[in-house]
Amino acid sequence: MPDRVIDLRSDTVTTPTDAMRRAMYEAELGDDVYGEDPSVNRLEQMSAERLGKEAALLLLSGTMGNLVGMLAQTRPGDEVIVGQHSHIFLNEAGGAAALGGIQLYPVPTTRGAIDPADVEGALRDPKNLHHPRSRLVCLENTANRDGGAAVSVGAMDTVAEVAHRRGLRVHIDGARIFNAAVALDVPVERLVQGADSVTFCLSKGLGCPMGSILAGDADYIQEARRWRKMVGGGLRQAGIIAAAGIVALEQMIDRMAEDHANAKRLAEGLNRLPGLTIDVDAVETNIIMLHFDEQRADPKAFVSGLRERGIKVGSPYGGRMRLVTHYQVSREDVDYVLKAAEQALGLVHA
Ligand code: TLP
């Protein structure tokens, strides 16, 4: 494998920028469990302002953000309506059930959007003793498994409106909410306006080494702070992490448009190759879903051919594979990947 590696497995693989490393080195620190870490306090305040919420809380990961986010607004036995492709349902190790006694009710999604009629259809009868209590609806934006689809303001608002009318709260797993805001060209604050709680990840397209933010109203965040402590997420000099987060909010959001343009360019190029199909119009952010015509392109050979050329991609599943761009993938890298893909498919020789 060549020295230089282009890693398209996820945007979680990004390592911190020089500015982040400097900020981490110089960060003013204190004990965050006492509420005395100035860098954490600043990041939480900046995040709350950005999202248009009263307060925010720094957590270790997106999974912890979603877990604490749910724990702080449910009781054991409650039901939470989620998209059937959502990260909460598929990829959080059953934490809602194991640690919160929460029952998840999966409903269909179309490019990340939940049909409000499906929320209505999933609601339980609060007077019926046999039923669990419907408590919360979770939306994901961008929708990872749905190819990084950016769910529109309208689609977010209509679900929130139904949920609130029926007495449920709304949580947004906004691991990549800034990608959505940039792609849709709307203020992030507007996109999450209908949500009672929202998480976003610092450690994906924003490039931080770790961390996620949960935001909501002040009482809710106070409650979440308690749950964070309970699951072991009360940190001490967490300003080390927060310092990178501050840089991310200041420097790393607008540039995500480059990642989206690179994903589009990569998708267009790969889609021209025999045996590979991508719905190029569906590439709205930094995630690409590539489909194999297995008669013409062997997924395993393709993956190992790319690897020999210094390109890491995710494992194919069900005839498809995810590719993700981020700030450590340049336009030149995309062109290199396209050449390498031709070689890996045996179309040209290296
Ligand atoms: N997603 C990871 C994998 O777990 C699939 C990735 O590489 O995309 N919500 C969404 C929508 C996510 O995509 C992820 C991570 C999380 C939550 C969890 O974040 P972390 O990994 O920080 O716990």
Side-chain angles (χ1 to χ4, degrees), residues 31-58:
D31 190 324
D32 182 45
V33 174
Y34 292 112
E36 289 174 5
D37 188 300
S39 304
V40 172
N41 293 342
R42 173 141 184 257
L43 173 65
E44 290 180 347
Q45 196 190 337
M46 280 173 78
S47 302
E49 277 165 19
R50 285 267 176 162
L51 296 173
K53 304 292 179 202
E54 281 176 13
L57 185 67
L58 173 66

Side-chain angles (χ1 to χ4, degrees), residues 238-249:
I240 288 280
I241 305 165
I246 292 168
V247 174
L249 291 183

Side-chain angles (χ1 to χ4, degrees), residues 9-12 60-64 66 86-88 91-92 140-145 173-176 199 201 203-204 211-212 287 322 324:
R9 288 173 302 170
S10 181
D11 45 12
T12 59
L60 290 174
S61 66
T63 302
M64 188 186 264
N66 284 331
S86 65
H87 198 273
I88 289 176
N91 288 110
E92 296 185 6
E140 186 175 306
N141 201 2
T142 64
N144 183 358
R145 276 276 177 135
D173 173 358
R176 298 184 179 83
T199 52
C201 287
S203 60
K204 302 201 164 58
S212 276
I287 296 180
R322 186 184 76 152
V324 187

